[in-house]
């Protein structure tokens, strides 16, 4: 029997944990992180969960009780969370024979060893991430991804395990006992509707799903659920994705803190969004053959101001922010309606290809793209901050009035020089 195993490393309450790294005063206090424009709760600390605060709860409904509860709210700090995620994944990857980053706060890694060695490796991963990054993680180790997810759940819900659960290191019959008590909906990939259909077949717990006939499950549900049954029985069915799959699209989309009601205002929006989208293209080392520009009013509006998506195809694939800004502004200028209350907009890049390639020869000289512009702007932003350079309004240090509201945002401690933490001895 092979001693190759899979570990699922998951950061506990990731957004909140990132906030606590640089503000220890938040430890032990109820903390929530809010969505775009500080609209609703998207992440909660354990203490906030104990207060009964639900994910998706509108902030204005919770805000009135915040002082009495000692509740602290933070606006989403995407720059910080993304950088902290990269640091966590780099540390975790040191321990594996392979690594698959599954989400911003989760990673699968391959481990080798007997049960005691696997348990020890999990403890080492947990200690290393805490030492080098400062966030707590839980580690679940098993023979398949589904079981590793299940082991991670056990580690999270049983403090006595110290955040690490290698299924094969647990006492005989203990895992089976847990599977007999936990509903099937507690499994990775088994949603509420699927669980309801399983109940109609007399399958309510993980143990009962594990004992089901895989062929029957596939016939009545899908090959995906069949794989879940097989993985519960130790047969590895979900492949590893060790390298990032080539992206087919890159999008930059945001809602506004307040409506934009003029064509000139929407031109400003598109100038900024196209530049930020171009920055993402540059970071990914890609160029786009087409760009789709979108904008819209509230879904409750009559619809007279809704902007139908406009797609611009370029003579040659580009990542040049000047070309992209001109195209986006021209598109919105033709279709935006003065007086409409626009609340959101976005740019979507498609037809992507590596920027390092030779690209298509522009024999007709149709474009005046300057491929080096995006790279130079990216270097300046990395050194002096995201508002240090730009085209038009995108270069202004003061954010536009319609910018996404983040009134409770913490500093970008790791990605902006002016927000670098200061330690005084």
């Amino acid at each position: 029997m092979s001693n190759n195993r899979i570990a699922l490393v998951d950061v506990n309450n990731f957004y909140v944990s990132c906030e606590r790294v640089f503000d220890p005063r938040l430890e032990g206090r109820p903390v929530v992180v809010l969505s775009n424009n500080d609209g609703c709760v998207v992440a909660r600390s354990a203490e906030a969960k104990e207060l009964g605060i639900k994910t998706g709860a509108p902030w204005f409904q919770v805000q009135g009780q915040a002082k009495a509860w000692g509740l602290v709210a933070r606006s989403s700090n995407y720059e910080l969370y993304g950088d902290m995620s990269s640091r966590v994944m780099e540390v975790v990857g040191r321990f594996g024979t392979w690594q698959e980053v599954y989400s911003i706060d989760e990673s699968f890694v391959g481990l080798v060893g007997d049960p005691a060695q696997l348990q020890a490796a999990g403890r080492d991963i947990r200690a290393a991430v805490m030492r080098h990054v400062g966030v707590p993680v839980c580690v679940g180790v098993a023979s398949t991804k589904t079981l590793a997810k299940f082991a991670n759940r056990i580690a999270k819900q049983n403090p006595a395990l110290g955040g690490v659960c290698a299924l094969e290191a647990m006492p005989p019959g203990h895992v089976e006992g847990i599977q007999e008590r936990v509903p099937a909906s507690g499994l990775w990939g088994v949603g509420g509707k699927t669980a309801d259909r399983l109940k109609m077949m007399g399958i309510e717990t993980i143990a009962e799903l594990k004992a089901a006939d895989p062929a029957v499950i596939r016939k009545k549900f899908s090959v995906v659920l069949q794989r879940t049954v097989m993985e519960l029985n130790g047969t590895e069915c979900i492949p590893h994705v060790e390298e990032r799959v080539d992206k087919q699209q890159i999008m930059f989309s945001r809602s506004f803190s307040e409506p934009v009601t003029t064509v000139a205002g929407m031109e400003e929006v598109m100038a900024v969004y196209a530049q930020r989208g171009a920055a993402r293209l540059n970071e990914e080392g890609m160029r786009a053959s087409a760009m789709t520009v979108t904008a819209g009013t509230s879904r409750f509006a009559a619809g007279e101001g809704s902007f139908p998506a406009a797609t611009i195809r370029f003579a040659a694939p580009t990542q040049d922010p000047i070309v992209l800004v001109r195209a986006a502004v021209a598109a919105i200028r033709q279709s935006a309606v003065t007086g409409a209350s626009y609340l959101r907009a976005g740019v979507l890049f498609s037809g992507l290809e590596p920027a390092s390639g030779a690209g298509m020869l522009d024999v007709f000289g149709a474009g005046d793209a300057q491929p080096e512009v995006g790279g130079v702007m990216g270097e300046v932003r990395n050194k002096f901050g995201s508002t240090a350079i730009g085209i038009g309004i995108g270069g202004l240090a003061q954010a536009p009035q319609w910018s996404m509201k983040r009134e409770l945002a913490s500093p970008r401690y790791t990605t902006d020089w002016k927000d670098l933490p200061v330690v005084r001895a």
Side-chain angles (χ1 to χ4, degrees), residues 146-411:
T146 300
L147 287 173
K149 276 271 197 178
F150 177 64
N152 189 281
R153 174 191 172 115
I154 295 175
K156 282 182 180 290
Q157 297 184 352
N158 293 270
L161 295 176
V164 179
C165 175
L167 287 188
E168 294 172 2
M170 298 187 74
H174 195 69
V175 175
E176 290 76 9
I178 297 174
Q179 291 177 342
E180 290 172 357
R181 297 192 301 272
V182 178
S185 58
L187 273 178
W188 178 38
V190 180
K193 291 183 179 179
T194 299
D196 290 340
R197 290 179 60 195
L198 286 168
K199 282 184 181 180
M200 296 175 65
M201 297 174 59
I203 299 174
E204 297 190 28
T205 67
I206 293 176
E208 290 169 341
L209 181 59
K210 179 180 178 180
D213 184 340
V216 173
I217 293 297
R218 176 169 182 167
K219 182 177 180 180
K220 292 185 175 294
F221 292 88
S222 66
V223 67
V224 175
L225 194 59
Q226 179 193 34
R227 289 173 182 165
T228 297
V229 174
M230 296 175 70
E231 290 230 332
L232 283 173
N233 286 280
T235 300
E236 195 175 348
C237 300
I238 303 174
H240 309 319
V241 184
E242 298 184 41
E243 297 181 359
R244 178 182 291 183
V245 177
D246 289 341
K247 288 189 175 182
Q248 301 301 310
Q249 297 177 330
I250 290 178
M251 170 177 274
F252 186 91
S253 177
R254 293 286 188 275
S255 56
F256 311 147
S257 60
E258 58 182 65
V260 176
T261 59
T262 66
V263 174
M266 289 304 295
E267 290 178 5
E268 292 179 349
V269 170
M270 285 305 169
V272 173
Y273 283 19
Q275 287 178 76
R276 293 181 181 176
R280 289 191 179 177
L281 282 172
N282 185 264
E283 290 169 3
E284 298 289 342
M286 306 295 287
R287 54 191 175 197
S289 300
M291 175 176 64
T292 301
V293 176
T294 64
T297 59
S298 167
R299 65 180 183 273
F300 301 110
E304 69 280 358
S306 295
F307 173 71
T311 298
I312 304 98
R313 300 192 180 278
F314 303 109
T318 183
Q319 60 173 198
D320 182 0
I322 296 176
V323 173
L324 299 174
V325 167
R326 285 175 178 169
V329 170
I332 200 71
R333 181 182 296 148
Q334 292 178 5
S335 301
V337 178
T338 297
S341 297
Y342 292 99
L343 293 177
R344 61 189 182 278
V347 290
L348 172 68
F349 301 108
S350 56
L352 305 185
E353 65 176 43
S356 57
M360 182 186 298
L361 180 63
D362 186 9
V363 294
F364 298 105
D368 55 352
Q370 304 174 69
E372 72 280 1
V373 171
V376 171
M377 291 176 66
E379 291 176 8
V380 173
R381 288 194 186 101
N382 289 338
K383 188 172 183 178
F384 299 106
S386 60
T387 60
I389 189 172
I391 301 167
I393 194 172
L396 298 180
Q398 184 176 355
Q401 191 173 2
W402 45 262
S403 294
M404 184 176 65
K405 183 171 67 176
R406 293 199 292 181
E407 295 178 347
L408 304 172
S410 55

Side-chain angles (χ1 to χ4, degrees), residues 114 124 314:
D114 60 34
D124 289 343
F314 303 109

Side-chain angles (χ1 to χ4, degrees), residues 16-85:
V16 172
S17 294
C18 290
E19 297 287 349
R20 284 174 167 170
V21 169
F22 298 97
D23 190 352
R25 296 171 298 178
L26 301 180
E27 290 289 345
R29 295 188 63 180
V31 180
V32 295
V33 176
L34 306 177
S35 64
N36 291 348
N37 294 313
D38 296 342
C40 60
V41 174
V42 294
R44 308 162 293 160
S45 67
E47 297 82 2
K49 294 175 184 177
E50 291 175 358
L51 290 173
I53 299 173
K54 304 295 184 183
T55 297
W59 172 236
F60 73 87
Q61 292 182 357
V62 180
Q63 189 174 9
Q65 295 293 321
K67 186 175 181 179
W69 289 338
L71 176 67
V72 178
R74 289 284 186 265
S75 302
S76 294
N77 192 337
Y78 300 116
E79 299 87 349
L80 175 65
Y81 307 151
D83 185 68
M84 294 290 281
S85 173

Side-chain angles (χ1 to χ4, degrees), residues 87-167:
R87 293 167 187 251
V88 170
M89 300 313 167
E90 192 279 327
V91 173
V92 171
R94 301 174 190 175
F95 292 86
T97 57
W98 55 267
Q99 180 181 22
E100 176 187 341
V101 177
Y102 180 67
S103 68
I104 193 171
D105 60 348
E106 294 178 282
S107 179
F108 290 106
V109 291
L111 299 180
V112 178
D114 60 34
Q117 291 171 328
L118 296 172
Q119 190 78 13
R123 289 194 293 267
D124 289 343
I125 292 172
R126 180 176 166 86
V129 174
M130 178 57 72
R131 181 171 62 252
H132 295 297
V133 187
V135 295
V137 302
C138 282
V139 184
V141 188
S143 57
T144 69
K145 286 184 176 179
T146 300
L147 287 173
K149 276 271 197 178
F150 177 64
N152 189 281
R153 174 191 172 115
I154 295 175
K156 282 182 180 290
Q157 297 184 352
N158 293 270
L161 295 176
V164 179
C165 175
L167 287 188

